[in-house]
């Protein structure tokens, strides 16, 4: 493989998760493709359509020309409309059509990875006509397919891979969003700290510190006198951060110490995926 070393971790994580998705959906009968998932508004078919569509974009395929229905309640932004296009265009595809297209895209993407010689800072297409560095594109595909793998596992009652390479990419992506959640969205006071103690298949202790200017940063050192501490399991952390569940539905899985009002404001703003 000629892929740049800084892309290798993401390529491996992506491969592991997308192959898991392929294995999960291969034996499904027609009716199971319509089952609702934790991803708002999307069925099993919709998630697989989304994955296929995003991989087609990584391959440089033209986007489908398609008019979206106006009654899709979960489509509330231009970004959501962009994402929904690849999903809606496949809503009437049969199970064999879905699995064969997924397999074909996997083969093409695997070939692309084998021949990858572009540098990590090479600019590639991003949603809404923007551009992004290749390394970020690889990272976000690894994150996205792992999260959707977990959506499918929950729906199909086939738990697994909560500590895979994709899970570690997801951890890092979600941790980067924490300073904004705590300092800006939840309005934690200046010169305060909030500790997150996460246990389970992926474990970590992180402190978000808010400086005198109200800016947040995250590090691995414990805080001696945090304004609040939130302890929760990894699965709950992911489901909250990815907007799959509301805080009220998992309140029994979260232990809060310190400022309860601040902790609630953090949980209310915890969902960071678009």
């Amino acid at each position: 493989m000629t892929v740049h070393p800084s892309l290798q971790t993401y390529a491996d994580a992506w491969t592991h998760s997308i192959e898991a998705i392929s294995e999960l959906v291969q034996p499904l009968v027609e009716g199971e493709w319509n089952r609702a998932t934790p991803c708002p508004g999307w069925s099993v078919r919709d998630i697989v359509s989304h994955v296929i569509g995003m991989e087609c974009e990584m391959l440089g395929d033209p986007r489908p020309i398609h008019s979206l229905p106006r009654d899709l309640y979960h489509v509330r932004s231009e970004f959501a409309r962009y994402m929904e296009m690849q999903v809606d265009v496949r809503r009437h595809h049969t199970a064999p059509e879905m699995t064969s297209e997924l397999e074909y895209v996997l083969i093409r993407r695997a070939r692309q990875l084998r021949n990858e010689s572009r540098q990590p800072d090479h600019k590639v297409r991003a949603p809404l006509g923007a551009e992004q560095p290749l390394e970020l594109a690889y990272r976000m595909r690894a994150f996205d397919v792992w999260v959707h793998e977990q959506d499918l596992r929950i729906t199909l009652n086939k738990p697994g891979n909560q500590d895979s390479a994709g899970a570690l990419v997801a951890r890092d992506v979600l941790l980067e969003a924490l300073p904004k959640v705590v300092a800006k969205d939840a309005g934690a006071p200046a010169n305060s700290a909030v500790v997150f103690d996460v246990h389970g298949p992926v474990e970590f202790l992180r402190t978000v510190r808010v400086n005198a200017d109200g800016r947040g940063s995250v590090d691995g050192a414990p805080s001696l006198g945090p304004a609040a501490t939130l302890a929760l399991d990894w699965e709950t952390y992911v489901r909250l951060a990815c907007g799959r569940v509301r805080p009220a539905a998992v309140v029994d899985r979260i232990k809060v110490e310190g400022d309860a009002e601040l902790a609630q404001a953090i949980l209310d703003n915890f969902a960071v995926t678009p």
Side-chain angles (χ1 to χ4, degrees):
M1 189 179 279
T2 52
V3 65
H4 193 279
S6 70
L7 304 177
Q8 189 69 59
T9 303
Y10 303 131
D12 291 346
W14 172 86
T15 302
H16 187 262
S17 290
I18 204 160
E19 285 179 352
I21 287 174
S22 183
E23 276 178 40
L24 283 167
V25 302
Q26 202 70 44
L28 298 183
V29 297
E30 201 67 56
E32 291 176 298
W33 285 84
N34 299 323
R35 285 171 67 172
T37 71
C39 191
W42 280 2
S43 65
V44 169
R45 178 185 282 99
D46 295 341
I47 280 182
V48 177
S49 296
H50 165 72
V51 169
I52 291 169
M54 291 300 101
E55 300 312 331
C56 286
E57 300 205 6
M58 288 293 285
L59 286 158
D61 293 356
R63 277 174 58 76
I65 297 167
H66 177 71
S67 296
L68 279 184
R70 297 196 174 273
D71 59 349
L72 297 171
Y73 75 92
H74 58 283
V75 178
R76 296 180 186 153
S77 67
E78 208 47 48
F79 184 83
R81 286 184 66 79
Y82 183 95
M83 289 299 171
E84 198 70 22
M85 198 73 82
Q86 296 277 15
V87 172
D88 195 66
V89 79
R90 293 175 174 84
R91 281 221 158 94
H92 301 295
H93 287 198
T94 63
E97 285 173 327
M98 293 300 298
T99 51
S100 59
E101 189 182 9
L102 178 62
E103 209 163 300
Y104 181 51
V105 165
L106 262 169
I107 291 166
R108 292 176 65 211
R109 282 280 279 131
R111 187 186 301 135
Q112 185 186 42
L113 281 178
R114 278 198 305 276
N115 299 324
E116 185 62 89
S117 57
R118 295 172 293 181
Q119 291 299 303
D121 59 356
H122 177 85
K123 290 285 195 293
V124 295
R125 181 165 95 188
L128 295 174
E131 286 191 329
Q132 61 187 346
L134 185 65
E135 184 172 358
L136 178 61
Y138 268 54
R139 186 182 197 222
M140 296 318 292
R141 292 310 311 132
F143 168 69
D144 192 52
V145 292
W146 180 81
V147 170
H148 289 310
E149 178 200 340
Q150 294 304 313
D151 285 334
L152 294 172
R153 287 188 177 281
I154 288 169
T155 305
L156 303 170
N157 197 23
K158 295 265 181 76
N161 288 350
Q162 286 214 346
D163 58 352
S164 66
L168 301 183
V169 173
R171 173 199 63 192
D172 295 344
V173 169
L174 294 175
L175 279 172
E176 281 182 8
L178 269 187
K180 178 179 177 290
V181 168
V182 173
K184 188 179 176 194
D185 302 337
N191 301 312
S192 67
V194 176
V195 172
F196 294 84
D197 184 358
V198 176
H199 57 273
V202 174
E203 292 192 344
F204 55 88
L205 184 79
R206 293 290 187 277
T207 303
V208 175
R209 302 177 196 279
V210 184
N211 68 13
D213 299 326
R215 290 184 176 276
S217 62
V218 63
D219 64 54
S223 169
L224 296 176
T229 299
L230 289 86
L232 65 165
D233 65 274
W234 169 235
E235 184 184 347
T236 303
Y237 185 97
V238 170
R239 291 175 72 195
L240 283 168
C242 295
R244 298 318 194 242
V245 68
R246 297 202 181 281
V250 289
V251 69
D252 57 325
R253 301 182 70 161
I254 306 165
K255 185 183 174 194
V256 171
E257 291 177 3
D259 187 335
E261 206 172 303
L262 174 59
Q264 190 58 52
I266 290 167
L267 291 171
D268 288 342
N269 291 281
F270 212 66
V272 292
T273 54

